[in-house]
Amino acid sequence: MREEEKIRAGILFSPADAELKAIKLKTHNLNVDYNNTYEDEEEKRAAILSEIIGEFGEGGRIQGPIAFHYGKHTKIGKNFFANFNLTIQDDAEVTIGDNCNFGPNVTIVTPVHPMLPNERREMLTADGEKKLLCYARPVHIGNDCWFGASVTVCPGVTIGDNCVIGAGSVVTRDIPAGSFAAGVPCRVIRALTEADSMRNRPHILADNSVIE
């Protein structure tokens, strides 16, 4: 198996593999190119993102700076917005649905290292070579999710549609659809209902209105 196939299979792989290093080097350099653009250089930014991200839906915008690890392992739906300092360490697949909004400093990670220090340093491959090995678990995020500032999503997590994740949360387990969840570790606080509508906050709604 190629190392990238091992990633998809969820088994140990060598992050120092030449093929993987080449993907990461290209993406890391493109991150720098993106981060050196001006905000109004929209065509230039879009062209760079098309080289980085596996799939990026129409209407998306990323404030920058960005830090994608592989990039090609990430798929993002339509009308996505991410504020400053988006980090996606997409060794394994990362999928993000339509109409998602991320606050500043959101981080999504997929790689996992062995817990024991000697195993973290090196292990023995099937070919008898001593190598640093790790594995990765995919992250899946549904449609219409809002993440507050500095949310961290850990490997293997699935977050359902229509979720709000509170600022500073560390998401270590799955979050069901339609939830407000927050904390370290993140936990479901309650379900989101019509009681959360801006209709019930007239002092904030002012002379605006909710679309039926």
Side-chain angles (χ1 to χ4, degrees), residues 139-153:
V139 167
H140 300 294
I141 297 163
N143 301 313
D144 291 287
C145 290
W146 170 34
F147 291 5
S150 300
V151 167
T152 298
V153 182

Side-chain angles (χ1 to χ4, degrees), residues 63-80:
Q63 182 72 49
I66 58 172
F68 286 87
H69 200 35
Y70 286 79
K72 64 180 289 187
H73 297 161
T74 295
K75 299 176 182 178
I76 299 174
K78 297 181 293 185
N79 303 318
F80 175 71

Side-chain angles (χ1 to χ4, degrees), residues 123-194:
M123 296 182 72
L124 202 62
T125 70
D127 297 326
E129 297 181 82
K130 291 181 178 180
K131 289 186 177 181
L132 185 152
L133 302 175
C134 63
Y135 62 103
R137 300 174 63 202
V139 167
H140 300 294
I141 297 163
N143 301 313
D144 291 287
C145 290
W146 170 34
F147 291 5
S150 300
V151 167
T152 298
V153 182
C154 293
V157 165
T158 294
I159 297 173
D161 295 343
N162 308 318
C163 284
V164 174
I165 308 297
S169 296
V170 178
V171 190
T172 60
R173 62 184 64 187
D174 294 353
I175 303 295
S179 297
F180 168 52
V184 182
C186 187
R187 62 182 180 85
V188 174
I189 305 297
R190 58 180 173 81
L192 295 169
T193 70
E194 281 301 309

